[in-house]
């Protein structure tokens, strides 16, 4: 009888531990992932990108970052509603994720602004990647009633040359992004 009770309690503890493991995985996902786009959230993106920058600096390697902003996103939300805006964000993120490597770091920084860090990539190849991503984003079609909504994005590309940290690198990419937006949108701007 005592052995049966011990077996029963042991089984209950095993079941409780399995449930706890599942909950921990869910909590980790919630803490590190943007719920809508299933990309890294801002906090997780910065942790990974700072690490990539430190590795590159320590080993004298190239690393590049691409800042990406969906063009006229506020107009999309205003004209079609937030549910359509959400569809745009989801399709946009899926398109980027399909076209990058597993080692690349991709996250949503907020709103319609995303960033991509490319380890072991020089500025020339990062600029080519941004051009390729721009073309893939142009293929996105969101069906709204009887209309097809097209999507474009602007890109700023920088590398780790003359940067002391990831923040400086992202600031340079951000300035280039705003240059692309002010010059007409749906453009890639790079130091290259």
């Amino acid at each position: 009888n005592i052995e049966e009770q011990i077996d029963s309690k042991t089984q209950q503890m095993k079941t409780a531990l399995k449930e706890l493991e599942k909950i921990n995985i869910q909590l980790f996902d919630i803490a590190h992932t943007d719920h809508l786009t299933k990309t890294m959230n801002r906090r997780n993106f910065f942790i990974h990108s700072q690490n990539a920058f430190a590795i590159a600096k320590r080993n004298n390697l190239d690393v590049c970052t691409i800042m990406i902003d969906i063009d006229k996103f506020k107009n999309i939300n205003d004209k079609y509603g937030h549910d359509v805006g959400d569809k745009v964000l989801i399709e946009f993120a899926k398109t980027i994720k399909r076209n990058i490597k597993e080692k690349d770091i991709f996250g949503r920084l907020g709103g319609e602004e995303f960033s991509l860090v490319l380890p072991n990539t020089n500025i020339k190849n990062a600029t080519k990647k941004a051009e390729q991503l721009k073309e893939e984003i142009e293929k996105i079609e969101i069906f709204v009633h009887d209309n097809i909504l097209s999507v474009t994005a602007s890109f700023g590309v920088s590398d780790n040359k003359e940067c002391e940290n990831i923040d400086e690198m992202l600031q340079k990419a951000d300035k280039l992004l705003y240059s692309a937006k002010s010059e007409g949108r749906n453009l890639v701007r790079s130091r290259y």
Side-chain angles (χ1 to χ4, degrees), residues 148-180:
I148 297 174
L149 176 62
S150 298
V151 179
T152 63
S154 299
F155 299 76
V157 185
S158 71
D159 60 10
N160 57 334
K161 302 295 182 247
E162 299 176 17
C163 291
E164 291 301 314
N165 54 52
I166 192 67
D167 293 328
E168 285 181 22
M169 220 171 109
L170 289 167
Q171 287 170 1
K172 287 182 179 184
D174 206 38
K175 284 180 184 172
L176 291 160
L177 166 68
Y178 281 97
S179 172

Coordinates of all heavy atoms in Angstrom, one line a residue, residues 148-180:
I148 N -6.1 44.8 -54.2 CA -4.9 44.2 -53.8 C -4.0 45.3 -53.3 O -3.7 46.3 -53.9 CB -4.2 43.5 -55.0 CG1 -5.1 42.4 -55.5 CG2 -2.8 43.0 -54.6 CD1 -4.6 41.7 -56.8
L149 N -3.6 45.1 -52.0 CA -2.7 46.1 -51.4 C -1.3 45.7 -51.5 O -0.9 44.6 -51.2 CB -3.1 46.2 -49.9 CG -2.2 47.1 -49.0 CD1 -2.3 48.5 -49.4 CD2 -2.7 46.9 -47.5
S150 N -0.5 46.6 -52.1 CA 1.0 46.3 -52.3 C 1.7 46.9 -51.1 O 1.3 47.8 -50.5 CB 1.5 46.9 -53.6 OG 0.8 46.3 -54.7
V151 N 2.9 46.3 -50.9 CA 3.7 46.7 -49.8 C 5.1 47.1 -50.3 O 5.7 46.3 -51.1 CB 3.8 45.6 -48.7 CG1 4.7 46.1 -47.5 CG2 2.4 45.2 -48.2
T152 N 5.7 48.1 -49.7 CA 7.1 48.4 -50.0 C 7.8 48.8 -48.7 O 7.1 49.1 -47.7 CB 7.3 49.6 -51.0 OG1 6.7 50.8 -50.4 CG2 6.6 49.3 -52.4
A153 N 9.1 48.8 -48.7 CA 9.8 49.2 -47.5 C 11.1 50.0 -47.9 O 11.6 49.9 -49.0 CB 10.2 48.0 -46.7
S154 N 11.6 50.7 -46.9 CA 12.8 51.5 -47.1 C 13.9 50.8 -46.2 O 13.5 50.3 -45.1 CB 12.6 52.9 -46.7 OG 11.7 53.5 -47.6
F155 N 15.1 50.9 -46.6 CA 16.2 50.2 -46.0 C 17.4 51.1 -45.7 O 17.8 51.9 -46.6 CB 16.7 49.1 -46.8 CG 15.7 48.0 -47.1 CD1 14.7 48.2 -48.0 CD2 15.7 46.8 -46.4 CE1 13.7 47.3 -48.3 CE2 14.8 45.8 -46.7 CZ 13.8 46.0 -47.6
G156 N 18.1 51.0 -44.6 CA 19.3 51.6 -44.3 C 20.3 50.6 -43.9 O 20.0 49.8 -43.0
V157 N 21.5 50.6 -44.5 CA 22.5 49.5 -44.3 C 23.8 50.1 -43.8 O 24.3 51.0 -44.4 CB 22.8 48.7 -45.6 CG1 23.7 47.5 -45.3 CG2 21.5 48.3 -46.3
S158 N 24.3 49.6 -42.6 CA 25.6 50.0 -42.1 C 26.4 48.8 -41.7 O 25.9 47.7 -41.5 CB 25.4 51.0 -40.9 OG 24.9 50.3 -39.8
D159 N 27.7 49.1 -41.5 CA 28.6 48.0 -41.0 C 29.2 48.5 -39.7 O 28.9 49.5 -39.2 CB 29.6 47.7 -42.0 CG 30.5 48.8 -42.4 OD1 30.4 49.9 -41.8 OD2 31.2 48.7 -43.4
N160 N 30.1 47.6 -39.2 CA 30.7 47.9 -37.9 C 32.0 48.7 -38.0 O 32.6 49.0 -36.9 CB 31.0 46.6 -37.1 CG 31.8 45.6 -37.9 OD1 31.9 45.6 -39.1 ND2 32.5 44.8 -37.2
K161 N 32.3 49.2 -39.1 CA 33.5 50.0 -39.3 C 33.3 51.3 -38.5 O 32.3 52.0 -38.6 CB 33.8 50.4 -40.8 CG 34.0 49.1 -41.6 CD 35.2 48.3 -41.2 CE 35.4 47.1 -42.1 NZ 35.3 45.9 -41.5
E162 N 34.3 51.7 -37.7 CA 34.3 52.9 -36.9 C 33.1 53.0 -35.9 O 32.7 54.1 -35.6 CB 34.3 54.2 -37.9 CG 35.6 54.2 -38.7 CD 35.5 55.4 -39.7 OE1 34.7 56.3 -39.5 OE2 36.3 55.3 -40.7
C163 N 32.6 51.9 -35.5 CA 31.6 51.8 -34.5 C 32.1 51.1 -33.2 O 32.8 50.1 -33.3 CB 30.4 51.0 -35.0 SG 29.5 51.9 -36.3
E164 N 31.8 51.7 -32.1 CA 32.2 51.2 -30.8 C 31.2 50.2 -30.2 O 31.6 49.4 -29.4 CB 32.5 52.3 -29.8 CG 33.7 53.1 -30.2 CD 35.0 52.3 -30.3 OE1 35.2 51.5 -29.4 OE2 35.7 52.5 -31.3
N165 N 30.0 50.2 -30.7 CA 29.0 49.3 -30.2 C 27.8 49.2 -31.2 O 27.8 49.9 -32.2 CB 28.5 49.8 -28.8 CG 28.0 51.3 -28.9 OD1 27.2 51.6 -29.7 ND2 28.5 52.1 -28.0
I166 N 26.9 48.3 -30.9 CA 25.8 48.0 -31.8 C 24.9 49.3 -31.9 O 24.3 49.5 -33.0 CB 25.0 46.8 -31.3 CG1 24.0 46.3 -32.4 CG2 24.3 47.0 -30.0 CD1 24.6 45.8 -33.6
D167 N 24.8 50.1 -30.8 CA 23.9 51.2 -30.9 C 24.4 52.2 -32.0 O 23.6 52.8 -32.7 CB 23.8 51.9 -29.5 CG 23.1 51.1 -28.5 OD1 22.2 50.3 -28.9 OD2 23.5 51.2 -27.3
E168 N 25.7 52.4 -32.0 CA 26.3 53.3 -33.1 C 26.0 52.8 -34.5 O 25.6 53.5 -35.4 CB 27.8 53.5 -32.9 CG 28.2 54.4 -31.8 CD 29.7 54.5 -31.6 OE1 30.4 54.3 -32.6 OE2 30.1 54.9 -30.5
M169 N 26.1 51.5 -34.6 CA 25.8 50.8 -35.9 C 24.4 51.0 -36.3 O 24.1 51.4 -37.5 CB 26.2 49.4 -35.8 CG 26.8 48.8 -37.0 SD 27.4 47.1 -36.5 CE 26.3 46.2 -37.5
L170 N 23.5 50.8 -35.4 CA 22.1 51.0 -35.7 C 21.7 52.4 -35.9 O 20.9 52.7 -36.8 CB 21.2 50.4 -34.5 CG 21.2 48.9 -34.3 CD1 20.7 48.5 -33.0 CD2 20.5 48.2 -35.5
Q171 N 22.3 53.4 -35.2 CA 22.1 54.8 -35.5 C 22.5 55.2 -36.9 O 21.8 55.9 -37.6 CB 22.8 55.7 -34.5 CG 22.2 55.6 -33.1 CD 23.1 56.3 -32.1 OE1 24.1 56.8 -32.3 NE2 22.6 56.3 -30.8
K172 N 23.6 54.6 -37.4 CA 24.1 54.9 -38.8 C 23.1 54.3 -39.8 O 22.7 55.0 -40.8 CB 25.5 54.3 -39.0 CG 26.6 55.2 -38.3 CD 27.9 54.6 -38.6 CE 29.0 55.4 -37.9 NZ 30.4 55.0 -38.3
A173 N 22.7 53.1 -39.5 CA 21.7 52.5 -40.4 C 20.4 53.3 -40.4 O 19.7 53.4 -41.4 CB 21.4 51.0 -40.0
D174 N 20.0 53.8 -39.2 CA 18.7 54.5 -39.1 C 18.8 55.8 -39.9 O 17.8 56.2 -40.6 CB 18.5 54.8 -37.6 CG 17.0 55.0 -37.3 OD1 16.2 54.3 -37.9 OD2 16.7 55.9 -36.5
K175 N 20.0 56.5 -39.9 CA 20.1 57.7 -40.7 C 20.0 57.4 -42.1 O 19.4 58.2 -42.9 CB 21.5 58.4 -40.4 CG 21.5 59.1 -39.0 CD 22.9 59.7 -38.8 CE 22.9 60.4 -37.4 NZ 24.2 60.8 -37.0
L176 N 20.6 56.3 -42.6 CA 20.5 55.9 -44.0 C 19.1 55.5 -44.3 O 18.6 55.8 -45.4 CB 21.5 54.8 -44.2 CG 23.0 55.2 -44.2 CD1 23.9 54.0 -44.0 CD2 23.3 55.9 -45.5
L177 N 18.4 54.9 -43.4 CA 17.0 54.6 -43.6 C 16.1 55.8 -43.9 O 15.3 55.9 -44.8 CB 16.4 53.8 -42.4 CG 14.9 53.7 -42.3 CD1 14.4 52.8 -43.4 CD2 14.5 53.1 -41.0
Y178 N 16.4 56.8 -43.0 CA 15.6 58.1 -43.2 C 16.0 58.8 -44.5 O 15.2 59.5 -45.1 CB 15.6 58.9 -41.9 CG 14.7 58.4 -40.9 CD1 15.1 57.5 -39.9 CD2 13.3 58.6 -41.1 CE1 14.2 56.9 -39.1 CE2 12.4 58.0 -40.2 CZ 12.8 57.2 -39.2 OH 11.9 56.6 -38.4
S179 N 17.2 58.6 -44.9 CA 17.6 59.2 -46.2 C 16.8 58.5 -47.3 O 16.3 59.2 -48.2 CB 19.1 58.9 -46.4 OG 19.5 59.3 -47.7
A180 N 16.6 57.2 -47.2 CA 15.9 56.4 -48.2 C 14.4 56.9 -48.2 O 13.8 57.1 -49.3 CB 15.9 54.9 -47.9

